[in-house]
Amino acid sequence: DQQVKQNSPSLSVQEGRISILNCDYTNSMFDYFLWYKKYPAEGPTFLISISSIKDKNEDGRFTVFLNKSAKHLSLHIVPSQPGDSAVYFCAARLLTNFGNEKLTFGTGTRLTIIP
Amino acid sequence: DSGVTQTPKHLITATGQRVTLRCSPRSGDLSVYWYQQSLDQGLQFLIQYYNGEERAKGNILERFSAQQFPDLHSELNLSSLELGDSALYFCASSEGQWENEKLFFGSGTQLSVL
């Protein structure tokens, strides 16, 4: 049961345009959402996050939007640059019993920026 | 460089064998997490250790075990290997015992079971 879904395995965007990566989730108890970026032969690195009490968080060229009613979040990158070419993972945090936290990751979207 | 070191980078072995993956967390980080990434799958959480003690368990098979040593490095032991165990195994670390917003990942160990 995939609780965090990234339905687009790949996305190609022209350099300078906006890249929009989407993520859907099923568990309404998720309280925090994160995006990680992964280059080949490297581990994922944290990019940006958003609390479930917010609907937008911006950090430079990166903005994450959260629509709780639709259980949907998106990552906007503008303007897109060649160095943004990577695999992007959406992740959601669930506060379990005894205060434990658990991250559930999506399957990733491979973003290719075309020069 | 995340500061998390995983060895080996690549491992090729046969079915039925046992392997050990090693992880050194960032300096000062007390928590170590293990994740498995199979083909077309997201990162699947396996297990977490905090300061030497098991803290949380995910979808880890009984054939797999892990431990965290007093120097905080961790090992993931995979036994009776099957073809389906072929995957990229990531280790991550964080400062505290909760999965705070920033996990620092190593570059992974690519395991191929033939």
Side-chain angles (χ1 to χ4, degrees):
Chain A
D1 177 27
Q2 194 71 26
Q3 295 191 60
V4 178
K5 299 179 183 179
Q6 293 177 259
N7 292 318
S8 297
S10 62
L11 176 67
S12 294
V13 175
Q14 206 78 31
E15 181 179 359
R17 307 292 276 268
I18 183 170
S19 295
I20 300 176
L21 296 95
N22 294 304
C23 178
D24 297 295
Y25 62 95
T26 57
N27 193 334
S28 58
M29 298 301 292
F30 288 137
D31 71 328
Y32 208 85
F33 302 89
L34 308 91
W35 285 93
Y36 279 81
K37 176 179 178 179
K38 183 184 179 303
Y39 291 118
E42 294 183 13
T45 55
F46 171 78
L47 186 60
I48 192 170
S49 62
I50 187 168
S51 166
S52 61
I53 63 173
K54 295 187 176 181
D55 56 17
K56 177 182 175 181
N57 187 28
E58 190 173 351
D59 183 3
R61 296 185 298 113
F62 302 91
T63 303
V64 56
F65 295 92
L66 175 62
N67 183 334
K68 285 188 67 177
S69 60
K71 294 191 179 66
H72 177 84
L73 69 156
S74 61
L75 173 68
H76 292 210
I77 305 173
V78 55
S80 299
Q81 298 175 354
D84 296 329
S85 295
V87 176
Y88 289 79
F89 289 98
C90 167
R93 190 180 76 178
L94 178 68
L95 194 63
T96 63
N97 292 339
F98 309 110
N100 289 342
E101 299 176 12
K102 178 184 170 184
L103 277 183
T104 301
F105 284 83
T107 53
T109 296
R110 181 177 302 279
L111 175 64
T112 302
I113 304 303
I114 305 165
Chain B
D1 183 9
S2 67
V4 178
T5 305
Q6 287 187 251
T7 57
K9 290 192 183 301
H10 302 277
L11 197 50
I12 301 174
T13 188
T15 54
Q17 295 298 305
R18 172 189 167 97
V19 297
T20 298
L21 313 184
R22 184 188 166 98
C23 170
S24 293
R26 286 191 324 155
S27 177
D29 284 357
L30 299 179
S31 272
V32 169
Y33 309 80
W34 287 96
Y35 282 84
Q36 178 194 56
Q37 185 186 12
S38 303
L39 199 62
D40 296 330
Q41 295 289 317
L43 292 158
Q44 302 291 324
F45 171 68
L46 294 178
I47 197 164
Q48 177 203 356
Y49 278 83
Y50 172 76
N51 204 20
E53 294 188 2
E54 184 183 301
R55 192 69 183 87
K57 226 170 183 176
N59 300 321
I60 188 166
L61 300 172
E62 286 190 11
R63 300 184 286 108
F64 296 0
S65 65
Q67 54 184 330
Q68 187 180 28
F69 295 87
D71 67 352
L72 300 178
H73 91 270
S74 177
E75 293 181 354
L76 179 67
N77 300 297
L78 315 176
S79 61
S80 302
L81 284 168
E82 302 175 358
L83 296 177
D85 297 328
S86 295
L88 189 53
Y89 291 85
F90 286 106
C91 167
S93 73
S94 69
E95 183 179 352
Q97 61 178 313
W98 313 124
E99 278 193 71
N100 297 320
E101 60 182 79
K102 286 187 180 180
L103 292 184
F104 295 87
F105 283 84
S107 56
T109 293
Q110 180 68 58
L111 173 66
S112 299
V113 182
L114 305 178

